[in-house]
Amino acid sequence: MFSFLTAFGPAISMQILILISVILLEAAGLIQKLCFGQGEKEDEQIVAEIMRRRFFPAVITHETWEGFHFAGHEIRITEATDCYGAVVWPSALVLCYFLETNSKQYNLVDKNVIEIGAGTGLVSIVASLLGAFVTATDLPELLGNLRHNVLRNTKLKSKHQPCVKELSWGIDLEKNFPRSSCHFDYIMAADVVYHHPFLDELLLTFDHLCKNDTVILWAMKFRLEKENKFVDRFQTLFDLEMISNFPSLNITLYKAMRKDSMKASLPN
């Protein structure tokens, strides 16, 4: 092509090349804008679908609760507005939606699942309704409400009745969850990283509970630089893969496995 252009003289051929370059750059920019626009639109559509799964009581009562539609069931969650751990945060909805819409790829039937920082229990409830053996864990002061929600929404509905258990990150891990006898196929976590002083203990808990074949599904809302630093530290122990991203919510859904676990599972 260049030899063809030189037939018109160096000055003209250079002008034509510049013009072609400008056109190509503008086209690339337009394609990028179109692609970004489609991504942004898709994000908004999926987020709208996720939020449609949530509903509120038609009549105000003495009990603070929200309703959700997941796994073919109406789920009613009792909340407490005076505690971070007793409120359903958007990250939990994102993870529940993912579990429901990817149930073939991530088949939870008869799988052993633990949720850390379960809060109100929504993720644990959905995992249980999808057929998993579920252990829902959180701090002792949250277990009453957690147990209430789990029992109300899974009794006579789930294949396996979930277990609710105390887990304070980093404390008595070997005593309460001995490595020799505790094996989890999945560790689930939604919005466990925020402005709190227990990030070291959280990482220690992930490390203790995770075997070579354990899959971590973790939905995280980015708020502060602290979250980015935790992700960096997390990646020193685990291979991290972003499987969904929702910019409008500042939420990213990750899949993680222990580093070199895939290599370790291959035959020599």
Side-chain angles (χ1 to χ4, degrees), residues 61-81:
T61 65
H62 67 281
E63 181 184 35
T64 304
W65 66 274
E66 289 185 77
F68 303 89
H69 292 288
F70 285 112
H73 292 271
E74 182 176 298
I75 301 167
R76 183 165 160 169
I77 297 291
T78 301
E79 297 180 306
T81 56

Side-chain angles (χ1 to χ4, degrees), residues 195-208:
H195 187 62
H196 63 71
F198 304 108
L199 294 179
D200 290 341
E201 291 81 359
L202 174 60
L203 188 59
L204 183 66
T205 302
F206 272 124
D207 183 46
H208 179 84

